[in-house]
């Protein structure tokens, strides 16, 4: 995965994007659905990015979009982490740019 992919909206098709959002004031995650350059739906107010991932497929289906593929789900999870920033985002960036620098125990 290219790090730059985590810094842009997830392109679902020619006209539809999914954006990862973190609200630092409320410390919550959300997903915004955009069609033809305009917001059309919001899934949000979750305290953990995994909660967004658990709900995103149903949200997309309700808006006549296909569920995320496994690859898209992984990418969107990374996008949520990057939206928040902080140490987790720094570790993710390091792992993507230099996988040999990350140790798993």
């Amino acid at each position: 995965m290219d790090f730059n992919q985590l810094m842009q909206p997830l392109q679902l098709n020619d006209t539809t994007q999914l954006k990862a959002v973190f609200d630092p004031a409320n410390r919550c995650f959300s997903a915004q659905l955009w069609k033809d350059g305009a917001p059309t739906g919001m899934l949000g107010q979750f305290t953990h990015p995994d909660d967004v991932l658990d709900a995103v497929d149903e949200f997309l289906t309700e808006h006549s979009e296909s569920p995320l593929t496994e690859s898209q789900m992984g990418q969107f999870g990374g996008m949520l982490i990057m939206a928040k920033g902080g140490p987790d985002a720094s570790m993710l960036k390091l792992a993507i740019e230099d996988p040999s620098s990350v140790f798993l125990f």
Side-chain angles (χ1 to χ4, degrees), residues 12-60:
L12 301 179
N13 57 47
D14 290 340
T15 61
T16 308
Q17 297 177 325
L18 190 62
K19 296 183 180 184
V21 178
F22 179 74
D23 177 355
N26 294 316
R27 301 194 49 76
C28 62
F29 295 89
S30 61
Q32 292 179 348
L33 186 64
W34 288 64
K35 291 185 182 184
D36 297 317
T40 58
M42 183 166 177
L43 170 69
Q45 306 298 313
F46 294 100
T47 58
H48 197 273
D50 286 348
D51 297 332
V52 179
L53 297 177
D54 290 342
V56 73
D57 283 344
E58 183 177 338
F59 168 73
L60 290 171

